[in-house]
Amino acid sequence: MSGEAAVSAPGKTILFGEHAAVYGHPALVTALDHRMTVMARASAVFGRGTLRLEIPSMKIARTVASMHSVDSVKGPGDLAVLAVAIGTAGLEPNPYGFHVRIDSGIPTGAGFGSSAALAVAVVAACRRAVDDDIPLEEVGRLATTIERHQHGTASGVDVQAVLRGGVLLCRRLNGDIVEHEELPGAGARLGAFRLFNSGAPEESTGTMVGAVRVLLDREPARVREALAEINAATRDGCAALTRGDDAAFVPIVRRAEAALEILGVVPSHVCAAIRAIEAAGGAAKISGAGGRTGAGAGLVLVVHPDPAWHARFSKPGGWTEHRVGLGAPGVRTEVAA
Ligand code: MEV
C-alpha cells in the first residue's frame, strides 16, 4: 500500500497577546497568505519507522532509520522528524515509512509561525497520505504537542492561527485545550497594519519564554502588571477591530509594546526604531517571542490608519517589509505534484 498527500499551512502573526498567552491570557492572531507546503508519501517500501526527509530551502536531505528515537529538537530538520513521529504514532502498529518534502515561503526563527505551520501541515499531510483524515481539533492537539518539544509551555495560539486561518481570539485553557473565537471578515479590517522583519533574533522562542518566567519569579508584581496591560491591549484591540476603528489601534499598539519592553523581549536598537516611529505619529510592536541579541526582534507590526503615512514611512536600516495578506485561509489540502 502507498498513498500520497500534499497539504499547505499559512504563517501567522500575533496582533496582540504574545507572552501573556503563555499565562492563559487571550491572544488576537491572524494567518498570513505566505504558506508552507508538505508533501507526504507513505509506503511499506521505506520500512516501518523510516523517514526520508527533504527540505530544499534548508539544504536538508536525510534518511532517519528510526524516527521515533528522536525526542528533542537539537539541529535543523529535527522538528520535522519529531512532527512525523508524533503525527503518525497513533497509526501503530503500521507498516509504513514516510517520505516527506517541505517547501516553505515562511521566514524561519522570526515570529512568522513557521514551526506551527510545519507541525500542522506535517501531521495533516502524513495522516491524509494513509487516508486517515483526523478532525482539525486532533491535528491541532498533536501539533501543539510537537511545538511543546520546542518550548514546554507553548500556549497553542500559533497552532490555532495556522490551523483555522482568518482572525481569531484564542486562549489557552487547562492542559491541551485552546478555546478560539473566529472574527469573520476581520482580515479585511487590518489595513492599518504593515509587517516588517527586523532581523532574526539570536534567541529561540523557548529561550524568550524562559527569560520572561525568570523575570516573573524575580519581579512578580511588575511582570504581572505588564501581563495585565497586554491583556487589556488585546481586548481593546479586538474591540477596535470589531468596530473597524483604525485610529484606535495607534494608542493600543503603543501600550502593548510598552508592556512587552517591560518583559525584556525587545532589544534596545529595536526599541529605538520604534520610538522614532512613535515620534512620527505611528505605532509599532514586536509580534511573537521577540529577542534580546542578534540582528533584530523578528516580526514587527507598524501601525497607522492612513495609507499615505505608510507610503511616506522610511523603514529602519536592516528591516524588510513583508507584503502579505492577512486573514488567509488555514490548513488545506493541495493537489499532490
Ligand atoms: C510565540 O509566537 C508566542 C509566545 O506567546 C509563545 C506562546 O504563546 O507559546 C511568545
Side-chain angles (χ1 to χ4, degrees), residues 256-307:
E257 171 62 22
L260 288 162
E261 289 179 15
I262 289 171
L263 297 185
V265 296
V266 191
S268 55
H269 60 289
V270 176
C271 292
I274 291 177
R275 291 300 85 76
I277 292 168
E278 291 169 352
K285 67 175 280 291
I286 63 148
S287 170
R292 286 197 157 160
T293 57
L299 180 54
V300 173
L301 307 177
V302 175
V303 178
H304 195 279
D306 183 1

Side-chain angles (χ1 to χ4, degrees), residues 222-240:
R222 207 163 86 91
V223 172
R224 283 214 185 90
E225 202 180 311
L227 296 174
E229 191 60 16
I230 294 172
N231 180 32
T234 305
R235 300 212 179 262
D236 290 352
C238 191

Side-chain angles (χ1 to χ4, degrees), residues 12 14 17-22 111 151 153-158 205 209 288-289:
K12 68 91 197 45
I14 298 183
E18 51 277 275
H19 287 290
V22 172
H151 79 100
T153 48
S155 67
V157 303
D158 293 8
T205 296
V209 169

